[in-house]
Amino acid sequence: MKFVVNGTQLSEAVAKVVKAVSSKTTNPILEGIKLSIKGDELTLVATDTEISIEKTIIASTFTEGETVVPGKTFAEFIKKIEDEEEIEFSLFEKELKISYGSSEGFIQTLPAEEFPLINKDIKEKYFSLKQKDLKELILKTSFACSQDEARPLLKGCLIEIEGDEISSVALDGFRLALYRKKLIEKSENFKFIANSRTLNEIVRILEKDEEVVTIIIQKNVLMCEVNGTVLISRLLEGDYIDYRNIIKEDYLSLVKVNKNQLITAIERASVLTTDVKKIVKLDIKENYMTISSSSEVGKMNENVLINLEGKDLTISFNSKYIIESIKAIDDEFVNLYFNNKINPVVIKPYSGNDYLYLIVPLRING
């Protein structure tokens, strides 16, 4: 096995696949990156058995072959020499020689035949949309996924393909995110649950906003291919919560408010909270919303100008949840829909109904 490759291209490829290297395993092979040189292509693969990432780049080949290198060590080393125009690799039994300029390094390897096989024969269902639309769909919902290991389904987003739309839903028991986008093409109506980690790794491999990306599904496996990078992941299996019953259309109070003014006021209030939930109180009356917080380190009250339709209201929230949701909205103004101090608030952009966020308030004594 002997080949030469450009340092920058190799470093970029390694940075993509190393995300799939296992960090918690008793099997050393899963901590590695498999290097396969064939023809004029170098293919790098990493997997933790849940998610696999493969990247192919151009190389000058002298001798074909394959081996497995320690993933994170290899990634760090290549990053340090990425400015080299040419890097030469030569395999000698269990050692990979790396030559660059007048220098050289050696890395111990593992047998390629011990590396898990990655099945790319996935072609049952599919959908296509612009890369920028898929990126937006993921980033505006995945942050609301649960981190609770006891509720594995909620660690993912429910993706629904129906009609000419794709929707993504995430919820963790305290908040919900829903976002819709137009499709370019689909095979049929279907739905699946993808782990938030998988979705965020897809975002990282997307490169050109206006180009189309196709996601392929087969049983419990997802595959996405973008410009020589292939991501394959297991899907979550089970029945997702019926989120439609959670979202209520009726409301008693509607508040229109400047997005940035509300965010900065809540952020300032959260600084003076010491509890884990970072509780802030919203006192909504006529033309102003008073954001307040208090703790043993201090307290604050700040007025934000609003437009109120409906009844006055006092309600409390986890500041992190409300800040993250409002920041995800692109409009200058946002609409907040309230019913009472114990029912969830629904947050939408001032224009359009493509997405919304729902947050459960906190019940505070007094």
Side-chain angles (χ1 to χ4, degrees):
M1 177 179 179
K2 184 177 180 180
F3 62 93
V4 175
V5 69
N6 176 268
T8 301
Q9 293 178 8
L10 178 61
S11 182
E12 291 174 352
V14 173
K16 282 185 167 67
V17 302
V18 76
K19 300 292 186 180
V21 168
S22 179
S23 56
K24 298 178 182 179
T25 180
T26 57
N27 185 356
I29 204 74
L30 297 180
E31 296 178 347
I33 294 174
K34 182 180 177 182
L35 307 179
S36 302
I37 185 73
K38 187 174 182 180
D40 61 353
E41 292 184 336
L42 171 66
T43 301
L44 304 91
V45 187
T47 183
D48 61 5
T49 70
E50 293 294 328
I51 185 171
S52 306
I53 303 176
E54 175 185 292
K55 177 68 175 177
T56 301
I57 60 174
I58 299 298
S60 297
T61 305
F62 296 94
T63 308
E64 295 183 349
E66 55 185 12
T67 191
V68 177
V69 293
K72 293 183 178 176
T73 300
F74 185 71
E76 290 177 12
F77 187 82
I78 296 301
K79 182 66 178 175
K80 302 300 183 185
I81 60 172
E82 65 179 357
D83 292 335
E84 297 290 336
E85 184 67 27
E86 292 186 344
I87 304 174
E88 181 180 288
F89 294 84
S90 304
L91 181 63
F92 300 97
E93 294 184 353
K94 296 182 179 180
E95 194 172 63
L96 185 66
K97 179 182 176 182
I98 306 172
S99 304
Y100 50 100
S102 59
S103 305
E104 59 187 27
F106 296 86
I107 290 182
Q108 295 298 308
T109 64
L110 292 170
E113 57 268 22
E114 294 182 8
F115 197 83
L117 294 174
I118 309 299
N119 179 24
K120 295 193 291 182
D121 187 22
I122 300 168
K123 52 190 176 183
E124 186 178 1
K125 305 169 186 175
Y126 72 89
F127 63 90
S128 302
L129 70 168
K130 285 186 177 181
Q131 291 189 24
K132 68 176 182 180
D133 290 342
L134 179 59
K135 187 183 298 184
E136 200 169 64
L137 185 88
I138 293 170
L139 293 178
K140 290 187 181 297
T141 55
S142 63
F143 70 85
C145 289
S146 174
Q147 303 300 313
D148 189 353
E149 295 291 341
R151 308 180 78 182
L153 281 184
L154 298 188
K155 294 183 71 177
C157 291
L158 172 66
I159 309 293
E160 296 183 304
I161 312 299
E162 188 170 349
D164 62 349
E165 282 189 342
I166 176 173
S167 64
S168 176
V169 178
L171 58 90
D172 63 4
F174 305 100
R175 55 182 170 170
L176 177 150
L178 167 63
Y179 197 84
R180 302 182 184 92
K181 275 292 182 183
K182 292 292 183 182
L183 287 168
I184 291 176
E185 192 178 0
K186 66 169 186 180
S187 59
E188 59 190 90
N189 289 343
F190 63 98
K191 59 185 177 180
F192 60 92
I193 307 169
N195 193 296
S196 61
R197 177 196 169 200
T198 295
L199 295 171
N200 288 315
E201 290 301 336
I202 289 175
V203 168
R204 290 188 180 97
I205 69 172
L206 299 177
E207 296 179 349
K208 298 179 179 178
D209 284 352
E210 294 302 319
E211 288 194 2
V212 174
V213 60
T214 297
I215 304 291
I216 306 171
I217 306 292
Q218 185 158 312
K219 294 183 179 178
N220 67 333
V221 179
L222 170 152
M223 183 171 77
C224 175
E225 183 170 1
V226 179
N227 193 28
T229 303
V230 180
L231 181 147
I232 299 172
S233 176
R234 291 185 185 177
L235 298 173
L236 299 174
E237 296 184 83
D239 295 323
Y240 203 79
I241 292 174
D242 185 1
Y243 69 91
R244 290 179 175 84
N245 287 333
I246 300 173
I247 303 170
K248 305 300 181 184
E249 296 297 330
D250 55 324
Y251 61 91
L252 296 179
S253 302
L254 166 60
V255 170
K256 175 189 172 185
V257 60
N258 180 279
K259 165 189 162 180
N260 290 331
Q261 289 178 13
L262 180 58
I263 288 172
T264 53
I266 294 175
E267 286 177 334
R268 283 190 283 267
S270 69
V271 170
L272 296 179
T273 62
T274 56
D275 57 277
V276 175
K277 295 180 179 178
K278 292 286 183 181
I279 300 170
V280 296
K281 183 169 72 172
L282 313 183
D283 191 13
I284 302 163
K285 291 182 179 178
E286 295 182 3
N287 297 323
Y288 290 94
M289 177 189 296
T290 303
I291 291 98
S292 61
S293 65
S294 63
S295 68
E296 61 272 19
V297 300
K299 61 182 179 179
M300 71 154 278
N301 294 281
E302 182 169 335
N303 291 329
V304 176
L305 186 67
I306 64 169
N307 185 305
L308 170 63
E309 296 177 14
K311 298 183 177 181
D312 295 352
L313 180 72
T314 299
I315 192 167
S316 298
F317 291 101
N318 180 317
S319 59
K320 174 178 180 288
Y321 293 164
I322 200 163
I323 288 169
E324 287 184 341
S325 297
I326 295 173
K327 277 187 174 180
I329 293 175
D330 297 325
D331 285 15
E332 181 181 0
F333 290 88
V334 295
N335 286 338
L336 288 77
Y337 300 84
F338 300 93
N339 270 302
N340 52 48
K341 66 179 182 179
I342 61 174
N343 283 353
V345 59
V346 172
I347 306 171
K348 294 182 181 181
Y350 181 65
S351 59
N353 288 300
D354 288 343
Y355 56 113
L356 64 82
Y357 300 100
L358 179 149
I359 305 171
V360 175
L362 298 171
R363 299 192 184 193
I364 308 300
N365 292 331

